Amino acid sequence: MCASCLSHLLADARIKGESASCPQCRCEISRTQCVRNLAVEKAISEMPTICPHCRRQLPRSSIADHRKQLCQERPVRCKYNSIGCQWIGPFKMQSIHECCCAFPKKSGLELLDPVHSLCEQKEKDMKVYKQILDLLSVERVAFVDLQLLPNRTDDFIPKLFYETNRFTAHGFQWTVKARVNDNQDNPIHSMIRTLSYQLILKTRPQSPVLMSYVALKGPFGETRIDPVIYEFEFTGDVTESPYQELPLPDSVDCNRMLAAKHINLRFALVHK
């Protein structure tokens, strides 16, 4: 069984609240019980597989290099994409396209709009990182390493959710809750999986508390998290922030998190 299939199997078991079992022999399995079979890995690496671009049959051990560097059908961009050309095509057609590409022949005035659009996208991508750097420079910032532990609701059909123990930041008690697929009734039937989380203030404040917070990869985490900063004002009557999606690369990473015993995250909280 490959690593991604094992993660998916363990994630399914976590969502259903059952013990994971091998689909072949039905014995109970877990990540700690499974070991790598190096002999099988070596045999599988020599088995043929199909390149999705050129449909050639190649050994699995060489497919990655073939797709990245050798395949003549691999999709590439025009070298003039930095000035607005949106062409994407097979590598074998790249030089032909670039010889007749209209963008290097355009005037500066004609290139102004596409270059401006590209610059706007770059600025948007950099804005988050600038915000994080600004947050790190403020006086009242707290970093907390948390473990989200799995629990189940008291509903007739229990649902999986995660919650941390209480922690202290800026003189207040907090917890973080997370749920799968934004509380979908039965996420076991979905191939696309996401995690969303909320910050909960457990101490009743005497005055409004404006917080900025961001979830980051924990020191023992295995999954990259794209940082997104959220802001919410907590009051005596409103102590729970809205659920926000945890920005993971894809569903495979979400399954990897669900398959683990707990989820490790690092939170940065700024009291404004």
Side-chain angles (χ1 to χ4, degrees):
M1 186 183 299
C2 68
S4 60
C5 288
L6 177 61
S7 294
H8 199 286
L9 184 70
L10 296 176
D12 285 351
R14 174 75 71 193
I15 293 172
K16 292 187 289 187
E18 301 174 355
S19 297
S21 59
C22 173
Q24 298 297 325
C25 65
R26 302 301 176 187
C27 70
E28 186 174 323
I29 61 173
S30 68
R31 192 175 291 277
T32 55
Q33 292 173 322
C34 295
V35 294
R36 292 178 61 185
N37 190 323
L38 298 180
V40 172
E41 282 189 20
K42 177 64 176 176
I44 291 176
S45 70
E46 299 303 323
M47 292 178 66
T49 187
I50 302 296
C51 172
H53 306 310
C54 66
R55 311 307 298 173
R56 282 185 60 193
Q57 194 176 75
L58 298 159
R60 289 180 182 272
S61 57
S62 61
I63 192 67
D65 287 340
H66 170 80
R67 290 180 61 179
K68 187 176 181 180
Q69 300 178 353
L70 303 176
C71 182
Q72 295 296 304
E73 298 290 341
R74 69 185 187 272
V76 294
R77 292 182 178 273
C78 173
K79 68 178 182 181
Y80 300 112
N81 69 88
S82 58
I83 57 173
C85 181
Q86 300 297 310
W87 182 87
I88 300 177
F91 174 77
K92 66 181 182 181
M93 299 296 295
Q94 184 181 32
S95 58
I96 297 174
H97 163 79
E98 290 173 353
C99 287
C100 58
C101 181
F103 275 83
K105 302 178 181 66
K106 290 185 177 183
S107 66
L109 185 61
E110 291 175 312
L111 293 174
L112 189 60
D113 286 341
V115 170
H116 182 66
S117 298
L118 290 170
C119 290
E120 284 184 342
Q121 184 60 45
K122 293 286 186 182
E123 290 175 1
K124 184 179 178 181
D125 295 339
M126 291 300 297
K127 184 178 179 181
V128 174
Y129 296 99
K130 184 178 183 301
Q131 288 175 333
I132 292 175
L133 289 174
D134 291 341
L135 284 179
L136 296 177
S137 66
V138 302
E139 181 181 0
R140 305 184 69 182
V141 58
F143 291 93
V144 188
D145 293 330
L146 302 173
Q147 284 189 346
L148 286 157
L149 304 174
N151 294 278
R152 306 198 78 81
T153 65
D154 296 328
D155 300 336
F156 179 72
I157 301 178
K159 293 181 180 179
L160 173 68
F161 74 95
Y162 287 81
E163 188 172 14
T164 67
N165 295 323
R166 290 194 180 197
F167 62 94
T168 302
H170 302 298
F172 299 99
Q173 292 281 309
W174 307 86
T175 61
V176 174
K177 276 188 176 181
R179 61 191 187 186
V180 183
N181 283 20
D182 203 22
N183 213 31
Q184 180 184 353
D185 286 338
N186 203 344
I188 192 68
H189 295 149
S190 175
M191 292 297 293
I192 299 176
R193 289 183 181 153
T194 61
L195 280 170
S196 53
Y197 72 95
Q198 67 172 169
L199 182 63
I200 302 173
L201 177 60
K202 290 296 187 180
T203 307
R204 186 169 292 275
Q206 300 298 319
S207 59
V209 179
L210 181 60
M211 297 292 297
S212 292
Y213 56 96
V214 57
L216 306 168
K217 177 183 174 181
F220 302 103
E222 299 179 353
T223 304
R224 179 175 62 86
I225 299 175
D226 297 323
V228 176
I229 300 171
Y230 299 110
E231 186 174 278
F232 188 73
E233 185 175 75
F234 297 87
T235 65
D237 298 324
V238 183
T239 58
E240 298 184 0
S241 73
Y243 274 92
Q244 306 287 359
E245 184 173 340
L246 188 66
L248 301 172
D250 54 39
S251 293
V252 174
D253 297 281
C254 185
N255 280 329
R256 191 177 296 119
M257 280 189 163
L258 295 174
K261 288 185 177 180
H262 44 69
I263 298 173
N264 293 301
L265 295 178
R266 172 169 287 175
F267 267 77
L269 300 97
V270 176
H271 188 188
K272 294 191 171 182

